[in-house]
């Protein structure tokens, strides 16, 4: 449980970080708060020779552009994000998701970018392998899964809390490469492959998240189910955004993203379609929640069975809909 | 003599508070000695395997490696928590020829730093031949199961892997069940939990050239460690000195001799340099000892009015690869049944069964939470069947003051009935009980429930050497120094012992210096386990204090020309009553004593032990023999909220009505209660060491979910005082640190049932089990 030796490089800009990343290739890792990376290094799950630290770079406070879109620096700590008045006003969903991560101390270290780019987790994988589970599993470049006997694939789950919230908000990510800067819908950051969860490659740095301004009346809700309510990854999470027609009764469009029960965040497209154009009602919420469960196929993980996660996801999704609907009723004139 | 108490019974701040909260207390890991090496342990990756060969040559050549030890370097003496003719020690201090669990020590390295030590481990090549292993305890019992150890020769049943058996009974069980109007049989099962001590295990051993081994180790008592180290290292007791170390929690998990302790000592002997070994938290989760899960089968017969007439138990302890405390818990499990209720016809069988899991050990309550959960759950089921309320059935069967238990123990001023009544009254139990089950769906998804659980717990037990000896010496300036072998592991031992000294001598707390828990300079004490500290060590201190007081008074009487009855102790002086100027200070009295009592600077000695007058401890095999001097009783009420949609339950209120004798320090008593409530709620809802084939799946605080401050419940304490402290007289205070983790667990289970009608037969009470019980899991 000791941090192995590594070279620590402190670039003076994101651009330099990107250059350094490319230069060192797979020998290097980007680090900011280190709350995901350092424990993994202590476990011997990753052994970078070089750490390129973004820690010294100042994070730009959240801004709203002329279109009303919210720009959030990926280097913001989760604590700063959770208490930013701008974020709270524009996207309370993101504030809530950020506040639900781990503990106060970790939120002060961990950044939004780190939370979005965290590695997938599994109880068999996230430990040292000196005398327990020594034979490598899929995620340690082996050919077995300890979790599902004779399993043909890796079952490690992606547990970011902010990712489902941002995907439901339709956020896009700015990726900085040495020669270009590109935008991609945040959901495209995720491969759905637990062995390589992110689509970005060597030399690329996630620098910013842009959350589009809602076009109409909106209700949002984030649910994170845990056993002890803090200092814990989610058993499951669900982020719901309901955009309403101006009458405040018909749902114009819905975005539903489920977290922690799959290899990446899961958009519940069928559920979203079933919600669009409908009048909000308890029955609708129940039907759509069931649909969300049916299209999500939760992975069993960390002691939770798939059957339980299905049952719980249905309840939490339905509750998220009700909370989002309550928000709409409470603030009928406020398109936030 | 006047019995106005100034210190005992007062809310006096902890003696060790300032040094701990200011960070000045040195724990074992803080210790740095010149030339100190770092030790690391190589552990078995197999749950069961033959060791064919160990090649340390590459590791030895690594720069910075100073010593490597394997079983070849040991004297081949086994050790164990229990080491008796019936249960001889079965654990090698380092595995020899065969490994029996994942994490068993195979070799250890001492090197100049931790990186080198860890690299050296990776260079040691061990050839294993894997053997069939068994992890499920009931599979392990089957004839033909992989053999971890030969079944105990005295157990004649055709069962495998039996580490030990306890049998007990009285009355006539057949007649008892024949008399019953209602008989029911249930099976309960508990799960694996860890202790959760925040200070990881650590040892610094330093072998001096003269042949003396000095050891600092995070433990629950130095004398037990000294005995085991001396035995396994082949050193005379007097050549091993275990020093006092501050301890960041033990809860039963730091009693046994551990690999890191033995290896640090042997590595230091080999190198002649101090060696420190710290266990990582992950090692503690994966290779150290957790608590003891039990399978409990109960058959109970009652009359229609709820009177218990017969009870039969079959208990199986899911032991690990060595006996550990496995044969103790099957004895204790019996004991934790007998204290609370009268059962005229009784039969008990307990088995400890080897598996290829890591060995287990005592954990706060040592079987009591598991047993009370089972007994109290079944009692509620019986009450419901008979249409009696949970209070009535308990009151009907509760032991009363002066009853003699089947083993000959006396419950003396048992306050159980009063505890039940007060806990019920305080919580309006009768009004609330059964309300949730008739609740309408319009209440939303939350159901509230209330439940009660009862416990009786020993006040120290007669396990050799459950004794304590203390010395109080007066200093020239009239202050005193207390020498005690007792170790304060956070429960406040030093504080309450000083309160007793302060009371006997009417001396401010700050004038008492404590020298504690050092095998060389302090007299023997069993240590802070088995729930006897306040009673056993406390009485030893009181005896020593009495001797000092009597010496002070005797000289004062002579000098002041007053009779003993007229003298009063106050403010470090002895006065003649009614004549405050007619006095001698303690300082003067010390000086006079030296002058007139042949140099005696005033020293008092005190000794105490459990069940005085009984020569032997009770039989682990038959339970025969006296067990404890007195029992603490308690009734605990839990109120829970259960979400019937997610199955999630939480404890919102815990009320403990306790008969702990009397509180020497009420704040510390309440601290024990609060701690036990939060431990029990972790037990009930969150904590579980998840294992697969002998390997641990959640070896971190992140994935092993101990409650945080946000999960703790409101904990209320009601005193039922049944004993008193009288200056200069033996007292019978009762235990307070273990029993109350038990009744509340049972109360929580019963409250969950009250809330949602789901009877839980296994711990923990996960959302999944509750939803399953509600029929909501597809």
């Amino acid at each position: 449980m000791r941090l192995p030796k590594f070279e620590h490089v402190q670039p003076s800009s994101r651009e330099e970080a990107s250059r350094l990343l490319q230069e060192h290739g797979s020998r290097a890792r980007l680090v900011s708060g280190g709350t995901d990376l350092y424990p993994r290094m202590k476990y011997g799950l990753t052994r970078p020779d070089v750490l390129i630290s973004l820690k010294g770079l100042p994070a730009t406070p959240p801004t709203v552009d002329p279109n009303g879109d919210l720009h959030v620096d990926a280097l913001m700590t989760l604590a700063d994000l959770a208490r930013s008045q701008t974020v709270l006003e524009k996207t309370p969903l993101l504030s809530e998701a950020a506040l639900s991560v781990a503990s106060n101390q970790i939120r002060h270290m961990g950044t939004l970018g780190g939370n979005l780019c965290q590695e997938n987790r599994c109880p068999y994988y996230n430990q040292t392998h000196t005398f327990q589970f020594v034979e490598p599993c899929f995620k340690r470049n082996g050919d077995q899964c300890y979790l599902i006997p004779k399993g043909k694939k890796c079952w490690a789950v992606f547990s970011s809390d902010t990712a489902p919230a941002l995907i439901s908000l339709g956020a896009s990510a700015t990726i900085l490469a040495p020669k270009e800067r590109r935008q991609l819908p945040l959901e495209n950051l995720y491969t759905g492959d637990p062995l390589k969860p992110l689509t970005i490659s060597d030399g690329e740095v996630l620098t910013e998240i842009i959350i589009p301004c809602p076009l109409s009346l909106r209700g949002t809700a984030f649910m994170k189910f845990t056993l002890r309510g803090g200092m814990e990854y989610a058993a499951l999470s669900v982020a719901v955004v309901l955009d309403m027609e101006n009458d405040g009764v018909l749902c114009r469009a819905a975005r539903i993203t489920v977290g922690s029960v799959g290899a990446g965040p899961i958009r519940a497209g069928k559920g979203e379609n079933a919600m669009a154009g409908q009048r909000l009602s308890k029955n609708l919420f129940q039907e759509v929640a069931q649909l969300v469960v049916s299209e999500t196929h939760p992975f069993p993980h960390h002691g939770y069975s798939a059957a339980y996660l299905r049952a719980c996801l249905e309840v939490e999704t339905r509750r998220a809909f009700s909370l989002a609907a309550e928000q709409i009723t409470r603030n009928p004139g406020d398109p936030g | 003599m006047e019995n106005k108490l100034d210190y005992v019974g007062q809310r006096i701040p902890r003696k060790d508070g300032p040094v701990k909260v200011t960070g000045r207390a040195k724990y074992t890991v803080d210790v740095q000695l010149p030339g100190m090496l770092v030790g690391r342990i190589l552990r078995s990756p197999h749950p069961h395997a033959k060791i064919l060969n160990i090649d340390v040559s590459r590791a030895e050549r690594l720069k910075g490696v100073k010593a490597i030890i394997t079983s070849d370097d040991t004297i081949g003496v086994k050790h164990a928590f229990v080491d008796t003719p019936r249960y001889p020690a079965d654990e090698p201090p380092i595995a020899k020829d065969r490994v029996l669990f994942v994490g068993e020590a195979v070799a250890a390295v001492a090197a100049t730093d931790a990186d080198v030590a860890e690299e050296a481990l990776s260079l040691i090549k061990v050839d294993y031949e894997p053997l069939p292993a068994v992890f499920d305890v009931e599979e392990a019992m089957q004839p033909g199961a992989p053999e971890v150890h030969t079944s105990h020769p005295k157990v004649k049943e055709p069962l495998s892997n039996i580490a030990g058996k306890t049998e007990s009974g009285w009355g006539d069980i057949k007649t008892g069940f024949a008399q019953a109007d209602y008989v029911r049989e249930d099976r309960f099962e508990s799960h694996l939990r860890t202790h959760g001590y925040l200070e990881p295990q650590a040892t610094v051993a330093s072998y001096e050239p003269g042949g003396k081994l000095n050891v600092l180790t995070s433990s629950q008592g130095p004398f037990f460690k000294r005995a085991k180290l001396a035995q396994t290292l082949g050193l005379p007791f007097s050549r091993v000195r275990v020093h006092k170390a501050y301890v960041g929690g033990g809860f039963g998990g730091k009693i046994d001799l551990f690999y890191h302790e033995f290896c640090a000592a042997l590595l230091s002997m080999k190198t002649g340099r101090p060696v420190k070994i710290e266990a990582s938290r992950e090692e503690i989760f994966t290779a150290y000892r957790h608590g003891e899960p039990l399978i409990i089968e109960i058959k109970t017969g009652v009359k229609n009015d709820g009177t218990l007439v017969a009870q039969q138990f079959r208990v199986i302890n899911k032991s690990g690869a060595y006996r550990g405390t496995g044969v103790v818990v099957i004895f204790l499990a019996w004991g934790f049944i007998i204290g609370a209720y009268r059962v005229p016809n009784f039969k008990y069988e307990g088995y400890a069964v080897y598996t290829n899991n890591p060995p287990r050990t005592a954990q706060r309550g040592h079987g009591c939470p598991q047993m009370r959960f089972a007994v109290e759950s079944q009692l509620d089921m019986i009450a419901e069947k008979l249409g009696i309320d949970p209070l009535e059935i308990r009151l009907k069967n509760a032991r009363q003051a002066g009853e003699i238990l089947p083993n000959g123990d006396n419950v003396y001023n048992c306050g159980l009935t009063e505890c039940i009544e007060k806990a019920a009254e305080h919580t309006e139990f009768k009004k609330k009980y059964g309300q949730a089950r008739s609740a309408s769906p319009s209440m939303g998804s939350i159901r509230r429930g209330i439940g009660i659980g009862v416990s009786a717990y020993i006040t120290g037990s007669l396990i050799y050497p459950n004794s304590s000896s203390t010395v109080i010496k007066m200093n020239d300036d009239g202050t005193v120094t207390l020498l005690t072998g007792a170790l304060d592991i956070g429960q406040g031992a030093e504080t309450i012992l000083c309160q007793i000294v302060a009371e006997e001598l009417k001396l401010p707390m700050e004038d008492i210096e404590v020298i504690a828990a050092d095998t060389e300079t302090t007299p023997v004490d069993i240590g802070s386990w088995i729930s006897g500290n306040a009673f056993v060590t406390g009485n030893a201190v009181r005896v020593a204090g009495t001797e000092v007081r009597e010496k002070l008074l005797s000289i004062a009487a002579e000098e002041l020309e007053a009779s003993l009855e007229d003298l009063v102790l106050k403010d470090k002086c002895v006065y003649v009553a009614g004549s405050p100027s007619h006095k001698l200070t303690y300082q003067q009295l010390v000086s006079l004593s030296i002058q007139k009592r042949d140099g005696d600077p005033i020293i008092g000695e005190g000794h105490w032990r459990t069940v005085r007058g009984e020569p032997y401890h009770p039989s682990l095999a038959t339970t025969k023999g006296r067990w404890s001097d007195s029992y603490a009783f308690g009734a605990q009420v839990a109120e829970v909220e259960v979400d019937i949609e997610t199955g999630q339950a939480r404890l919102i209120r815990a009320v403990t009505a306790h008969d702990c004798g009397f509180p020497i320090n009420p704040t510390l008593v309440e601290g024990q209660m609060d701690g036990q409530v939060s431990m029990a709620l972790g037990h009930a809802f969150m904590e579980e060491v998840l294992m697969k084939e002998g390997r641990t799946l959640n070896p971190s605080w992140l994935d092993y979910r101990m409650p945080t401050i946000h999960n703790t419940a409101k904990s209320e304490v009601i005193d039922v005082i049944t004993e008193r402290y009288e200056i200069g007289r033996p007292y019978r205070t009762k235990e307070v640190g273990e029993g109350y983790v038990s009744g509340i667990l049972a109360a929580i289970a019963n409250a969950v049932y009250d809330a949602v009608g789901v009877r839980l037969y296994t711990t923990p009470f996960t959302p999944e089990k509750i939803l399953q019980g509600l029929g909501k899991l597809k």
Side-chain angles (χ1 to χ4, degrees):
Chain A
M1 293 296 283
R2 291 166 59 80
L3 209 50
K5 291 192 174 69
F6 55 86
E7 191 189 334
H8 185 261
V9 185
Q10 193 135 22
S12 57
S13 68
R14 283 148 233 242
E15 288 73 16
E16 193 190 341
S18 166
R19 261 199 323 277
L20 285 166
L21 259 180
Q22 200 183 42
E23 194 181 306
H24 292 288
S26 59
R27 293 174 59 238
R29 292 298 301 264
L30 213 52
V31 65
S32 176
T35 57
D36 189 51
L37 184 65
Y38 293 144
R40 289 167 29 73
M41 287 171 69
K42 286 184 178 179
Y43 285 143
L45 300 176
T46 178
R47 298 172 192 277
D49 299 316
V50 183
L51 288 189
I52 297 159
S53 172
L54 301 173
K55 199 152 178 49
L57 302 179
T60 316
T63 52
V64 181
D65 70 16
N67 298 327
D69 297 349
L70 177 70
H71 294 243
V72 183
D73 192 332
L75 273 182
M76 267 195 102
T77 65
L78 294 161
D80 284 343
L81 189 61
R83 66 180 167 216
S84 156
Q85 203 54 39
T86 313
V87 174
L88 187 65
E89 279 163 19
K90 292 291 291 181
T91 58
L93 186 68
L94 178 58
S95 313
E96 213 181 319
L99 192 62
S100 79
V101 177
S103 68
N104 191 32
Q105 291 89 334
I106 288 173
R107 290 193 296 273
H108 272 88
M109 295 299 291
T111 60
L112 176 61
N115 191 259
L116 293 170
C117 295
Q118 65 182 263
E119 256 296 353
N120 286 28
R121 299 183 75 255
C122 160
Y124 298 79
Y125 170 66
N126 288 87
Q127 52 173 285
T128 55
H129 300 273
T130 49
F131 63 91
Q132 285 216 124
F133 306 111
V134 180
E135 297 300 318
C137 66
F138 287 117
K139 201 153 170 61
R140 290 172 58 234
N141 304 316
D143 55 2
Q144 63 171 325
C145 172
Y146 290 103
L147 178 65
I148 308 292
K150 299 198 180 103
K152 295 273 188 284
K153 61 162 191 164
C154 174
W155 290 77
V157 291
F158 179 75
S159 306
S160 165
D161 297 318
T162 56
L166 285 168
I167 290 171
S168 284
L169 288 165
S172 59
T174 305
I175 308 290
L176 182 70
K179 288 192 182 127
E180 56 160 1
R181 182 184 293 268
R182 63 189 173 100
Q183 290 282 122
L184 80 166
L186 182 64
E187 57 192 294
N188 293 351
L189 183 64
Y190 302 106
T191 60
D193 174 5
L195 303 182
K196 188 189 180 301
L198 302 179
T199 55
I200 53 175
S201 49
D202 291 348
E204 294 191 315
V205 183
L206 168 66
T207 55
E208 191 180 55
I209 296 295
I210 303 168
I211 302 149
C213 185
L215 299 172
S216 65
L217 182 60
R218 172 176 281 186
T220 64
F222 177 75
M223 307 295 279
K224 174 175 175 177
F225 188 84
T226 61
L227 270 193
R228 71 176 164 194
M231 201 65 225
E232 202 175 356
Y233 284 99
L236 62 89
S237 65
V238 55
V240 165
V241 173
L242 302 181
D243 283 335
M244 304 300 291
E245 298 294 356
N246 286 337
D247 60 5
V249 177
L250 282 183
C251 178
R252 214 170 131 260
R255 287 175 72 97
I256 305 160
T257 312
V258 178
S260 286
V261 293
I266 303 168
R267 272 284 293 281
K270 286 183 190 162
E272 292 177 357
N273 291 338
M275 191 72 98
Q278 300 295 311
R279 205 186 164 83
L280 301 189
S281 73
K282 277 192 172 173
N283 284 342
L284 177 69
F285 294 163
Q286 182 60 37
E287 280 166 31
V288 177
Q290 282 169 350
L291 208 53
V292 169
V293 174
S294 72
E295 65 181 310
T296 307
H297 308 296
F299 285 11
H301 72 95
H302 296 92
Y304 302 101
S305 73
Y308 179 72
L309 291 172
R310 282 196 295 272
C312 191
L313 179 60
E314 185 182 316
V315 173
E316 295 294 311
T317 306
R318 176 166 51 71
R319 288 178 179 179
F321 291 147
S322 296
L323 285 173
E326 273 172 39
Q327 211 179 56
I328 295 161
T329 329
R330 217 168 38 239
N331 309 310
D334 175 11
Chain B
M1 187 191 308
E2 195 189 12
N3 197 53
K4 182 179 163 294
L5 301 182
D6 297 312
Y7 300 97
V8 167
Q10 304 301 310
R11 294 179 179 274
I12 291 174
R14 313 175 59 104
K15 193 93 173 151
D16 55 347
V19 72
K20 281 182 175 167
V21 299
T22 54
R24 282 175 293 143
K26 282 244 185 291
Y27 292 81
T28 304
V29 289
D30 300 323
V31 173
Q32 294 295 339
L33 297 176
M36 192 164 76
L37 301 171
V38 174
R40 285 290 188 270
I41 292 166
L42 182 71
R43 299 178 182 279
S44 164
H46 297 285
H48 195 183
K50 253 189 221 164
I51 300 173
L52 302 176
N53 187 47
I54 303 176
D55 178 1
V56 299
S57 56
R58 282 182 67 206
E60 267 173 346
R61 287 198 295 272
L62 185 68
K63 190 167 177 285
V65 171
K66 299 297 174 191
I68 300 175
I69 52 171
T70 66
S71 75
D72 290 345
D73 299 280
T74 71
I75 57 164
V77 170
K78 291 179 177 176
H79 69 97
F81 181 82
V82 177
D83 191 353
T84 62
R86 181 183 169 92
Y87 297 128
D90 61 354
E91 294 175 42
I94 299 180
K96 185 178 167 61
D97 306 335
R98 204 162 63 115
V99 285
L100 302 181
F101 69 95
V102 173
E104 182 161 6
V106 177
V109 172
T112 45
D113 69 40
D115 290 330
V116 175
E118 282 173 21
E119 196 184 338
L121 293 186
S122 70
L123 297 176
I124 299 174
K125 189 169 174 293
V126 186
D127 298 327
Y128 294 102
E129 180 190 321
L131 296 169
V134 63
F135 306 100
D136 179 88
V137 74
E138 284 168 309
E139 273 174 35
M141 292 173 84
Q142 294 305 313
E147 193 174 71
V148 187
H149 296 279
T150 315
S151 232
H152 197 279
K154 293 216 169 137
V155 178
K156 297 298 180 202
E157 296 146 90
L159 297 171
S160 299
N161 290 309
I162 302 300
K165 185 177 179 186
T166 299
E167 286 180 277
S168 184
W170 54 82
D172 181 342
I173 195 74
K174 276 192 185 152
T175 316
F177 282 120
Q179 289 166 353
D181 295 320
Y182 174 59
V183 176
R184 70 170 295 143
E185 290 181 63
D186 295 289
R187 176 187 159 106
F188 298 87
E189 201 166 335
S190 48
H191 70 288
L192 188 64
R193 293 176 304 131
T194 197
H195 306 79
Y197 41 78
L198 290 183
E199 183 210 6
Q201 300 240 16
T203 297
V204 173
S206 178
Y207 188 70
E208 290 168 7
K212 183 122 192 178
L213 179 69
N214 287 290
V215 178
L216 262 142
T217 191
S218 180
S219 82
Q220 292 186 234
F223 289 91
F224 191 84
K225 298 284 190 187
R226 179 183 67 169
K228 298 294 172 186
L229 281 169
Q231 179 192 348
T232 49
L233 293 165
L235 296 172
F237 275 33
S238 58
R239 291 275 135 203
V240 180
R241 177 176 179 182
V242 182
H243 297 251
K244 172 185 168 177
Y246 281 99
V247 180
F251 308 106
K254 292 178 177 173
I255 305 169
D256 303 82
L257 178 68
F258 288 92
Y259 294 126
H260 70 275
E261 294 170 317
F262 174 82
C263 292
L266 188 54
L267 287 166
S268 180
M269 288 170 73
K270 277 204 92 171
T271 58
R273 289 169 69 170
V275 175
K276 182 196 277 184
I277 304 185
E278 276 177 67
S280 70
R281 181 60 61 182
E282 200 186 45
E283 274 180 298
I284 290 169
F285 270 112
T286 52
Y288 279 65
R289 298 177 179 204
H290 307 309
E292 290 167 305
L294 302 178
I295 294 171
I296 301 160
E297 291 168 357
I298 321 179
K299 182 179 175 187
T300 299
V302 289
K303 302 299 274 183
N304 276 328
D305 67 356
T307 306
L308 293 166
V309 288
Q311 213 163 27
Q312 185 170 355
F313 285 81
R314 185 165 182 270
V315 172
I316 299 168
N317 173 37
K318 304 177 188 176
S319 305
Y322 294 103
R323 199 178 272 125
T325 50
V327 291
V328 178
V329 76
I330 55 171
F331 164 87
L332 295 174
W334 155 84
F336 296 134
I337 306 165
I338 65 167
Y341 305 124
R342 278 181 306 275
V343 185
N345 303 291
F346 183 89
K347 185 167 166 18
Y348 174 91
E349 283 179 309
Y351 298 87
V353 182
Y354 291 118
T355 63
N356 291 107
N357 288 304
R360 312 292 189 212
T361 195
Q363 182 173 27
R364 195 180 206 172
H366 208 174
C368 194
Q370 298 93 309
M371 294 310 292
R372 296 323 299 170
F373 158 59
V375 171
E376 300 288 311
S377 295
Q378 197 198 44
L379 202 61
D380 262 28
M381 291 188 258
I382 290 169
E384 188 180 26
K385 175 78 183 175
L386 299 178
I388 306 175
D389 86 52
L391 302 176
E392 199 185 321
I393 197 163
R394 286 175 173 78
L395 289 169
K396 186 169 282 297
N397 295 290
R399 297 231 179 246
Q400 301 300 319
E403 275 187 37
I404 305 292
L405 301 183
N407 64 344
D409 283 350
N410 191 327
V411 301
Y412 295 106
N413 299 323
C414 163
L416 181 54
T417 294
E418 195 182 340
C419 288
I420 297 169
E421 284 167 349
K422 284 200 165 155
E425 187 187 297
H426 184 78
T427 53
E428 298 183 284
F429 188 93
K430 280 199 171 184
K431 200 171 118 193
K432 290 177 185 167
Y433 182 74
Q435 292 307 301
R437 274 164 281 169
S438 54
S440 71
S442 65
M443 276 178 58
S445 65
I446 302 296
R447 297 287 178 277
R448 250 181 118 136
I450 192 166
I452 187 167
V454 155
S455 70
Y457 206 92
I458 49 164
T459 304
S461 176
L462 189 53
I463 289 177
Y464 176 81
N466 195 352
S467 62
S468 181
S469 183
T470 65
V471 171
I472 297 174
K473 60 186 186 99
M474 296 236 44
N475 302 315
D476 292 338
D477 59 359
T479 64
V480 309
T481 301
L482 167 67
L483 278 73
T484 170
L487 179 64
D488 196 323
I489 58 167
Q491 84 278 45
E494 290 189 12
T495 305
I496 62 148
L497 298 176
C498 286
Q499 283 179 264
I500 292 166
V501 176
E503 192 62 72
E504 292 292 325
L505 301 178
K506 296 294 181 190
L507 184 82
M509 291 286 283
E510 53 273 23
D511 283 332
I512 306 164
E513 188 67 38
V514 184
I515 294 177
D518 179 335
T519 58
E520 193 94 343
T521 59
T522 68
V524 71
D525 186 282
I526 190 176
S528 287
W529 48 283
I530 210 157
S531 272
N533 179 268
F535 173 67
V536 181
T537 313
N539 263 309
V541 167
R542 182 197 52 73
V543 171
T546 302
E547 189 181 340
V548 169
R549 192 188 58 248
E550 283 170 355
K551 284 182 175 179
L552 288 168
L553 288 170
S554 135
I555 300 164
E558 205 172 290
E559 291 295 315
L560 298 170
E561 295 177 343
S563 72
L564 282 174
E565 303 82 70
D566 294 336
L567 295 178
V568 181
L569 276 63
K570 201 184 171 198
D571 300 334
K572 287 198 280 180
C573 293
V574 178
Y575 293 84
V576 178
S579 172
S581 61
H582 209 45
K583 68 173 181 187
L584 284 166
T585 65
Y586 286 3
Q587 189 176 358
Q588 289 169 317
L589 289 166
V590 170
S591 166
L592 284 165
S593 173
I594 293 168
Q595 193 182 0
K596 301 199 169 172
R597 296 282 193 273
D598 300 329
D600 179 6
I602 307 190
I603 292 178
E605 278 176 36
H607 320 290
W608 205 264
R609 58 161 268 205
T610 43
V611 204
R612 301 192 306 162
E614 288 288 319
Y616 302 113
H617 57 73
S619 159
L620 290 177
T622 66
T623 78
K624 286 200 171 67
R626 291 280 315 281
W627 185 30
S628 188
D629 289 280
S630 69
Y631 291 74
F633 295 91
Q636 292 173 289
V637 171
E639 291 190 58
V640 300
E641 278 183 1
V642 185
D643 186 326
I644 55 169
E645 291 183 340
T646 62
Q648 194 157 34
R650 66 191 190 103
L651 178 66
I652 52 172
R653 185 187 188 199
V655 173
T656 302
H658 70 94
D659 160 18
C660 78
F662 60 88
I664 294 173
N665 187 324
T667 308
L668 291 175
V669 165
E670 288 159 16
Q672 287 292 324
M673 298 301 177
D674 295 349
Q676 286 172 100
V677 165
S678 71
M679 205 169 212
L681 85 88
H683 186 164
F685 299 125
M686 295 174 198
E687 296 178 39
E688 180 167 17
V689 178
L690 298 169
M691 292 198 81
K692 185 172 181 179
E693 294 176 349
R695 296 173 176 92
T696 307
L697 299 178
N698 52 345
S700 70
W701 290 132
L702 180 61
D703 293 320
Y704 179 87
R705 304 176 187 97
M706 278 214 333
T708 70
I709 188 73
H710 302 293
N711 307 112
T712 52
K714 188 176 178 209
S715 164
E716 296 160 65
V717 176
I718 302 167
D719 292 335
V720 172
I721 309 293
T722 55
E723 303 283 345
R724 61 194 298 245
Y725 186 96
E726 289 174 76
I727 293 169
R729 291 180 53 79
Y731 63 79
R732 203 189 297 116
T733 196
K734 306 175 185 177
E735 91 87 30
V736 78
E738 299 199 73
Y740 302 102
V741 75
S742 313
I744 192 66
L745 178 69
I748 291 169
N750 286 335
V752 169
Y753 179 78
D754 184 49
V756 293
V758 175
R759 179 55 67 185
L760 295 156
Y761 294 88
T762 63
T763 54
F765 315 141
T766 59
E768 178 149 1
K769 287 181 196 165
I770 292 174
L771 224 49
Q772 184 102 51
L774 288 166
K776 290 187 179 174
L777 227 48
K778 284 165 220 153

